[in-house]
Amino acid sequence: MAKDAKKTQSKKNSKKNVNEERPSVKVVEEKKKVVINEEKKPKPIVEVKKEVKEKKNNEKVINTLNKIEDNRKGIILFVIGFLIATLLFRCILWPDRIATLKDGTQPVANVLGEDITADELYEDMKQYYSVKVLLNKIDNKILEENIIPEGYEEFASTLKKMNELAHLLRKNKTERGYIDFDLDEAKIVQDENGKAIDVIKRQQLDGEKLIEDFMIAANETVATHIYNMDLPFVYRIHGKPNPEKIEDFVNFVKLLGYKLDVSTEDITPKKMQDILDSLHEKKEFEILSDMLLRSMKKAVYSSNNIGHFGLASKIYTHFTSPIRRFPDLMVHTLLHKYLFENMVNMPTIRYYENYLPDACEHASKKEVDAQSAEREVLDMKMAEYMESHIGQEYTGIISGVTNFGLFVKLPNLIEGLVHISTLKGFCTYVPNLLSLVSDGKIRYSLGQQVKVRVTGASKENSTIDFEIIGDTNDRDKK
């Protein structure tokens, strides 16, 4: 597993110099598109479709153009300061409403507003996006430090109430079994020329968590509403993990010397969260949490709802980001068809029953492509940063063990390879223990803390090379 997860370190990235300059963004009424080269750019599909409709009502041509446009749709990538759009979009906005109710003596956050009215729609979402921009701009000053920047006084009270509701929503999610892997994300800091000058952990404070909690509530509300109408729809699904993979993980944790009093039979989200909770104070928690995440199935888009295991949600969709995700745009299109145009006739239902399975499969594949591209760019920028730190020494933790060496992760999440040829003595890979053992009886294992020196880095190859200069084997076993 570790080998598969790290194999891109030893490969060269093929570079495509699509455009040296940042793409210009052109907004035309409800449509937004990224123009890479305006002079050579072909006429957009949406304009061709409009012309065909005006000149001749040819449904066959329109359907063909729809298929061509759909094949270009996917996910918008946020790649280290640049925006790469992969779809044209039209936003049909939707409000998410949260209310606090009293259930006995405990406050409970519930979602309200299953009736959707067009009159309130745009004003509510305008306020939502204003709050989102506000949170990003003031960097949690109000919520975390109780500092109200000048000009934002009118938002402070509302934000604090929203934060209280978000905490209640989070508590409810946790009680039903929501799995929080608590994994850090790396953030690349760049200078004015786009060169990486630092790598830090991305902050996940109350402001970011508030947005996430409200978006999950909105997604569940929308999905439940259409599911109860028994109409074709796009769901975000996440199946139960393979019991054998969870058993392998539990056995590996036991080999590290930790006891897990959790049964892997009939695994539930709550049991998965119990496993994480029991490991949370261990030094290897981040590595083990990532391993457990990789042992689970991947969430995908589907027209067949089976629930979302990781969120412990019975009905879920992706609704809140139609600007950057094609599946969300499909959801908005369906909502408009069903709820605003009242198109719930059999021809419409049959059309989407046939269309959505392939569209969901396509969206799932595009999501994988987008995530792969983001990871490759992140690796490249980390290598760029480390090019100016060759010779420096750091303390890190062994995050991966393969038959060709070790991967060591630094506190700022930069990861580099210690090639097996640089280790002392002749080393043997022991896959069951995820360890390398030398003929001098030195053992290098997952989660072990080591001291390393940077021996090489290449932005072009997206590689970082370390050598071990010391290790600490004081594992706190219980």
Side-chain angles (χ1 to χ4, degrees):
M1 180 183 65
K3 180 178 178 181
D4 292 337
K6 313 298 181 182
K7 63 183 180 181
T8 56
Q9 286 280 1
S10 60
K11 293 184 178 180
K12 291 187 177 182
N13 285 341
S14 59
K15 303 293 181 181
K16 292 186 178 181
N17 188 12
V18 178
N19 185 17
E20 295 294 340
E21 298 178 351
R22 297 181 67 162
S24 59
V25 179
K26 183 180 180 182
V27 181
V28 182
E29 295 179 347
E30 292 180 314
K31 303 179 184 69
K32 182 181 289 184
K33 49 197 173 187
V34 175
V35 181
I36 302 300
N37 189 326
E38 198 164 8
E39 294 181 356
K40 298 182 180 180
K41 183 179 178 296
K43 186 176 294 187
I45 294 292
V46 67
E47 292 184 17
V48 176
K49 286 163 61 178
K50 182 179 179 181
E51 290 180 7
V52 170
K53 283 184 177 180
E54 289 175 350
K55 294 179 180 179
K56 187 177 180 180
N57 188 17
N58 190 325
E59 289 301 322
K60 185 176 181 180
V61 175
I62 294 296
N63 289 335
T64 301
L65 291 170
N66 278 333
K67 291 179 181 179
I68 295 173
E69 187 177 6
D70 288 346
N71 287 333
R72 290 168 25 202
K73 293 173 180 175
I75 310 294
I76 285 183
L77 311 184
F78 292 96
V79 183
I80 317 297
F82 289 86
L83 176 69
I84 303 176
T86 59
L87 55 86
L88 303 175
F89 71 92
R90 178 179 60 169
C91 265
I92 303 167
L93 302 177
W94 191 280
D96 49 341
R97 307 172 190 172
I98 310 295
T100 303
L101 304 179
K102 289 287 183 179
D103 181 12
T105 58
Q106 297 297 321
V108 179
N110 288 313
V111 179
L112 302 178
E114 290 244 349
D115 335 340
I116 293 110
T117 60
D119 293 339
E120 300 173 336
L121 201 58
Y122 297 102
E123 184 60 31
D124 285 351
M125 283 306 291
K126 185 175 71 173
Q127 293 177 6
Y128 165 77
Y129 281 111
S130 296
V131 169
K132 189 171 182 179
V133 171
L134 169 66
L135 287 172
N136 292 333
K137 190 169 184 178
I138 67 175
D139 195 27
N140 290 284
K141 288 288 184 182
I142 294 176
L143 298 178
E144 296 288 339
E145 304 175 37
N146 200 28
I147 297 175
I148 304 175
E150 184 179 355
Y152 294 103
E153 293 82 2
E154 63 177 305
F155 294 100
S157 176
T158 300
L159 278 175
K160 290 178 180 179
K161 289 179 181 178
M162 290 175 67
N163 196 32
E164 291 177 9
L165 292 171
H167 279 274
L168 291 173
L169 286 170
R170 210 169 309 146
K171 180 175 180 290
N172 293 347
K173 287 190 303 179
T174 302
E175 288 176 349
R176 76 187 187 194
Y178 167 77
I179 305 172
D180 183 5
F181 288 95
D182 196 20
L183 293 173
D184 291 318
E185 295 182 21
K187 178 180 179 180
I188 306 295
V189 181
Q190 300 184 115
D191 62 17
E192 62 275 8
N193 298 315
K195 182 178 180 180
I197 57 174
D198 200 1
V199 180
I200 60 176
K201 290 183 179 180
R202 190 177 297 276
Q203 284 189 323
Q204 288 294 326
L205 303 177
D206 270 4
E208 290 79 13
K209 293 176 181 178
L210 180 155
I211 293 173
E212 182 70 14
D213 292 329
F214 272 62
M215 288 197 300
I216 289 175
N219 288 336
E220 289 180 325
T221 301
V222 168
T224 302
H225 188 88
I226 302 302
Y227 180 82
N228 290 336
M229 294 176 70
D230 197 24
L231 294 169
F233 202 55
V234 177
Y235 297 99
R236 180 70 168 176
I237 64 170
H238 185 215
K240 285 187 175 182
N242 187 314
E244 287 77 17
K245 289 189 175 182
I246 304 302
E247 186 69 32
D248 290 343
F249 173 82
V250 171
N251 290 335
F252 174 73
V253 171
K254 290 179 180 178
L255 288 175
L256 294 179
Y258 301 134
K259 295 181 180 180
L260 289 178
D261 297 325
V262 178
S263 171
T264 57
E265 295 182 6
D266 190 24
I267 196 73
T268 64
K270 195 70 173 66
K271 287 184 179 181
M272 293 286 284
Q273 190 59 57
D274 289 342
I275 292 175
L276 287 171
D277 289 343
S278 64
L279 297 172
H280 204 275
E281 299 303 319
K282 311 304 181 187
K283 292 187 300 183
E284 305 92 341
F285 172 75
E286 187 171 334
I287 305 300
L288 294 174
S289 180
D290 185 61
M291 284 184 64
L292 185 58
L293 176 62
R294 293 173 185 271
S295 71
M296 297 178 67
K297 295 180 179 178
K298 180 172 175 54
V300 296
Y301 298 102
S302 175
S303 58
N304 178 36
N305 176 55
I306 63 169
H308 195 294
F309 184 86
L311 296 177
S313 179
K314 294 181 180 179
I315 311 170
Y316 196 67
T317 190
H318 271 173
F319 153 82
T320 54
S321 298
I323 291 174
R324 69 179 186 90
R325 285 193 304 234
F326 176 51
D328 300 53
L329 181 60
M330 287 195 289
V331 167
H332 281 254
T333 300
L334 292 169
L335 292 174
H336 197 268
K337 288 283 185 185
Y338 297 154
L339 303 178
F340 292 100
E341 298 179 21
N342 293 317
M343 292 185 65
V344 290
N345 51 58
M346 287 311 300
T348 300
I349 292 173
R350 281 196 295 267
Y351 172 79
Y352 283 115
E353 285 177 342
N354 292 327
Y355 170 77
L356 290 180
D358 290 339
C360 289
E361 182 180 359
H362 173 77
S364 298
K365 290 179 180 178
K366 289 300 179 182
E367 180 185 34
V368 172
D369 293 342
Q371 292 171 345
S372 177
E374 288 177 338
R375 282 195 299 269
E376 289 179 10
V377 172
L378 185 62
D379 290 342
M380 180 267 289
K381 298 300 286 186
M382 286 182 170
E384 178 185 56
Y385 170 73
M386 293 302 282
E387 283 180 338
S388 59
H389 292 77
I390 294 175
Q392 293 190 13
E393 299 176 1
Y394 301 91
T395 298
I397 188 170
I398 296 177
S399 57
V401 184
T402 73
N403 60 359
F404 57 84
L406 312 167
F407 287 92
V408 176
K409 182 177 289 187
L410 306 184
N412 63 355
L413 305 183
I414 287 179
E415 199 170 43
L417 172 67
V418 178
H419 196 272
I420 193 171
S421 62
T422 68
L423 298 173
K424 295 179 181 179
F426 179 80
C427 290
T428 302
Y429 176 51
V430 185
N432 291 339
L433 299 177
L434 280 182
S435 301
L436 283 173
V437 182
S438 73
D439 51 10
K441 305 303 179 183
I442 300 176
R443 175 178 164 184
Y444 300 100
S445 303
L446 196 74
Q448 181 179 335
Q449 193 176 71
V450 293
K451 295 179 181 178
V452 297
R453 180 184 295 116
V454 184
T455 60
S458 170
K459 174 184 176 181
E460 181 180 354
N461 298 327
S462 298
T463 57
I464 300 170
D465 297 310
F466 294 151
E467 66 176 356
I468 290 181
I469 58 175
D471 65 272
T472 56
N473 291 294
D474 55 336
R475 189 187 307 279
D476 178 25
K477 296 184 180 180
K478 293 183 180 179

